[in-house]
Amino acid sequence: MTPEKVAVSQHIEDDSIPSHDSLDLPNSSEAQAAIVKEREMTLWQALKLYPKAVAWSLLFSCAIIMEGYDVVLTGSFLAFPAFNEKYGRIMSDGTYGLEARWQAGLNNAMACGQIIGLFLNGLVSERFGYRKTLMACLVATIGFVFILFFAPNIQTLVVGELFMGIPLGVYQTLVVTYACEVCPVALRAYITTYVNLCWVLGQLLASGVLKGLAGRTDQWAYRIPFALQWIWPVPIFIGVFLAPESPWWLVRQDRREDAVKSVKRLTRAHGDFNAEETVSMIVYTDALERRAESGTSYLDCFKNSDLRRTEISCCAWAAQSLCGAGLMGYSTVFYQRAGLATSQSFTMSLVQYALGVVGTFASWTAMSYCGRRTLYVGGLCLLTIVLFIIGFISIAPSTTAISWATGSMLLVYTFIYDSSVGPVCFALVSEIPSSRLRTKTVVLARNVYNILNLVTGIIIPYMLNVNAWNWRGKSGFFWGALCVCCLTWSFFRLPEPKGRSYAELDLLFERGVKTREFKSARTGLEDGPGEGKAVIVQA
């Protein structure tokens, strides 16, 4: 199709969008028609039209199960007798355990690897595509499991977790970016928050495996959980090999025809759907962003309107770490201190992660009515209350009942977190960035989260370790105060992206629309060609 010169004209009104310079677009009327159709598409219509896109997104997201699984292994092994006897020493209370410095080292080694993997993903996936990058990481995962499985000492185990973190870091951003690029607006929130569900499913799977092996006293008690990580990269690799590439990535590579073929593979022939029209929308959005951005480097994430988008993405993900989520992985420890046997403690962990699954499903319903902002801000408010309750409970003398109460409040915390802040964050960080800088912005945001996790991974073991600070439940005051800070930021700075196409979000951010006005502001793209305040006119 021959490119045509188009320009955006506008009525001079307070709520009108800024004028744009001439843009080289293949067909602006096709682009606007596609934007309107996508905006008006219902959830059921989107499912009927994009069943293949949903299936491929769900497959890609399954890679996150491995991250959730491995995270729980490293945290829960601290309450695993066979593991502590192999890699730990006798503590002051007469039991085997790891010193706080090795607990911190084990947790932070993975976080360091994830930071490396995330920055690599921002460079590699934009050059080679999402499919090839993910397949390479799946192969690397299989190789790095060998280090964990055969680790003779704690030092080797830490190195293994460092290397294992590299592909896990790639999974964290690549799968959510792919999901938000292959699905329409009506499905975007559900598919991206499904990533959080996969993360919780990995935790649930790990807890089930550990519970089943808690009675073993030999080396297989901790080696079998590591070995199970060899299983799922193979079927995921096969599926990714057969999957279509993101049409947005193909457009950024100037491969329009391939993008059309990709859209056809992601959709099912239905009604008046036109793949060419959809790709025109992608090209139009890309052209708007090319006008507003000077490049696609990490530095460009901090220029012009993208600075605000980067801030929102980074802070939204930072809140996941600062709101005290790290405490959820230590509920097993509280139940053991309450007098439960190891097997029973892991049963309670299974209940906790099952609540996480239920919470994620609940978030899908809540987002349909409340939107992202309301659910995120409301979730932080409730988490703050729960954390301060945990803190006040711990003021009483330490008893079995206090440990029970603390562990139970962590169950409540888990449900609230996984029905609000946890899943909604994935939707926000995938929607807020511009499409040309999406991968790099998500990488920066996730690395802010990982760097903060390095800090929390150091201080939480010291807070709970009997030979260190031994704060136990009093740590709720510390995390509650940080949660108040996150709540304050989100109230004043977090906009509502629900129902907005990427082109609309680009215009809202370029115009500098205030946070409170995002939900109601008009862009002129809502009504189709020639009907809104921003009219696309062929030159």
Side-chain angles (χ1 to χ4, degrees):
M1 189 173 295
T2 305
E4 304 173 45
K5 280 282 191 178
V6 298
V8 179
S9 65
Q10 64 175 48
H11 294 295
I12 302 176
E13 299 184 17
D14 292 339
D15 61 346
S16 61
I17 65 171
S19 61
H20 293 273
D21 300 326
S22 293
L23 301 171
D24 289 319
L25 301 176
N27 192 317
S28 61
S29 59
E30 277 192 352
Q32 276 201 294
I35 290 173
V36 173
K37 287 180 182 178
E38 185 167 311
R39 182 183 179 87
E40 296 176 351
M41 191 181 297
T42 65
L43 176 61
W44 179 241
Q45 289 172 335
L47 287 172
K48 289 172 63 178
L49 182 58
Y50 285 86
K52 298 177 185 177
V54 171
W56 291 123
S57 298
L58 299 184
L59 172 70
F60 271 61
S61 298
C62 285
I64 288 292
I65 293 176
M66 287 182 281
E67 186 203 356
Y69 181 91
D70 202 271
V71 167
V72 168
L73 286 189
T74 55
S76 297
F77 273 156
L78 302 179
F80 213 56
F83 179 86
N84 286 326
E85 289 181 19
K86 170 66 177 179
Y87 296 108
R89 67 178 183 84
I90 297 179
M91 307 296 283
S92 61
D93 60 358
T95 61
Y96 278 94
L98 294 181
E99 298 176 45
R101 63 190 181 99
W102 284 115
Q103 288 184 26
L106 199 59
N107 289 329
N108 290 336
M110 179 184 291
C112 290
Q114 289 173 348
I115 291 173
I116 297 171
L118 282 161
F119 278 123
L120 287 175
N121 178 53
L123 301 172
V124 175
S125 64
E126 272 303 304
R127 179 172 181 180
F128 298 104
Y130 300 155
R131 290 175 58 257
K132 292 180 180 179
T133 303
L134 184 55
M135 287 189 290
C137 289
L138 289 167
V139 173
T141 298
I142 294 174
F144 294 147
V145 171
F146 279 92
I147 302 176
L148 301 176
F149 184 81
F150 292 106
N153 50 51
I154 187 63
Q155 293 87 347
T156 306
L157 196 62
V158 169
V159 172
E161 290 292 349
L162 173 66
F163 284 112
M164 189 68 172
I166 296 175
L168 295 184
V170 175
Y171 301 151
Q172 289 175 349
T173 55
L174 189 147
V175 300
V176 70
T177 303
Y178 181 86
C180 73
E181 290 191 357
V182 299
C183 292
V185 172
L187 293 173
R188 207 164 57 196
Y190 303 100
I191 294 300
T192 52
T193 54
Y194 174 77
V195 174
N196 184 76
L197 178 61
C198 287
W199 191 68
V200 176
L201 288 174
Q203 295 176 316
L204 185 63
L205 178 61
S207 294
V209 170
L210 291 171
K211 172 178 168 53
L213 297 171
R216 297 187 68 106
T217 58
D218 58 7
Q219 61 179 339
W220 296 106
Y222 53 87
R223 283 193 169 181
I224 289 176
F226 284 135
L228 290 176
Q229 295 179 94
W230 277 317
I231 297 176
W232 49 72
V234 176
I236 296 176
F237 181 95
I238 296 172
V240 173
F241 177 79
L242 298 173
E245 186 55 85
S246 163
W248 288 82
W249 181 83
L250 292 168
V251 166
R252 293 195 293 272
Q253 305 301 311
D254 296 321
R255 295 166 56 183
R256 179 186 170 87
E257 294 305 317
D258 289 334
V260 173
K261 293 177 183 177
S262 177
V263 170
K264 289 179 178 178
R265 290 193 61 196
L266 291 166
T267 56
R268 183 175 63 184
H270 184 269
D272 61 347
F273 175 76
N274 186 335
E276 288 278 356
E277 196 175 73
T278 299
V279 173
S280 292
M281 175 187 67
I282 298 174
V283 174
Y284 173 71
T285 304
D286 184 67
L288 284 176
E289 293 174 1
R290 285 176 185 268
R291 173 192 174 277
E293 300 162 9
S294 57
T296 57
S297 68
Y298 279 111
L299 185 61
D300 291 302
C301 295
F302 300 94
K303 295 180 179 178
N304 304 321
S305 62
D306 286 299
L307 174 60
R308 181 184 178 191
R309 303 173 90 155
T310 301
E311 174 223 328
I312 293 169
S313 299
C314 290
C315 291
W317 225 328
Q320 274 198 337
S321 180
L322 295 177
C323 71
L327 291 174
M328 291 188 295
Y330 292 88
S331 61
T332 305
V333 176
F334 283 105
Y335 284 121
Q336 284 188 337
R337 289 176 179 170
L340 285 183
T342 300
S343 178
Q344 293 174 315
S345 296
F346 281 109
T347 297
M348 295 304 295
S349 292
L350 284 172
V351 173
Q352 175 179 329
Y353 296 124
L355 283 174
V357 172
V358 175
T360 302
F361 285 126
S363 72
W364 292 351
T365 302
M367 274 192 292
S368 300
Y369 296 97
C370 304
R372 283 59 143 170
R373 171 185 161 83
T374 303
L375 193 56
Y376 193 90
V377 174
L380 284 173
C381 184
L382 293 176
L383 292 179
T384 301
I385 295 172
V386 172
L387 287 168
F388 278 113
I389 289 175
I390 291 175
F392 283 114
I393 288 174
S394 67
I395 294 177
S398 180
T399 62
T400 297
I402 293 300
S403 293
W404 265 109
T406 303
S408 299
M409 288 307 300
L410 285 174
L411 293 182
V412 175
Y413 181 99
T414 299
F415 178 78
I416 296 173
Y417 176 87
D418 283 310
S419 60
S420 57
V421 177
V424 174
C425 177
F426 286 95
L428 288 169
V429 298
S430 63
E431 292 176 315
I432 293 299
S434 65
S435 62
R436 287 174 60 77
L437 290 172
R438 181 175 294 116
T439 299
K440 289 183 173 62
T441 304
V442 174
V443 164
L444 290 171
R446 186 67 183 189
N447 265 340
V448 168
Y449 169 84
N450 282 336
I451 290 171
L452 289 172
N453 268 3
L454 282 174
V455 179
T456 60
I458 292 173
I459 64 177
I460 288 180
Y462 281 90
M463 287 178 176
L464 304 182
N465 194 285
V466 293
N467 286 359
W469 304 344
N470 198 26
W471 286 8
R472 300 188 182 184
K474 294 183 179 66
S475 57
F477 289 121
F478 177 84
W479 297 111
L482 288 179
C483 206
V484 170
C485 296
C486 295
L487 175 61
T488 303
W489 170 86
S490 63
F491 183 80
F492 290 104
R493 296 292 293 171
L494 185 66
E496 176 57 76
K498 179 185 176 184
R500 297 289 191 181
S501 68
Y502 292 128
E504 289 178 290
L505 289 173
D506 288 338
L507 295 175
L508 289 172
F509 276 110
E510 187 175 348
R511 176 191 168 196
V513 173
K514 296 179 180 179
T515 298
R516 301 292 184 83
E517 298 175 2
F518 250 73
K519 186 175 181 179
S520 58
R522 292 181 58 81
T523 64
L525 296 177
E526 299 91 346
D527 307 310
E531 298 178 12
K533 292 186 177 69
V535 185
I536 304 298
V537 182
Q538 295 187 2

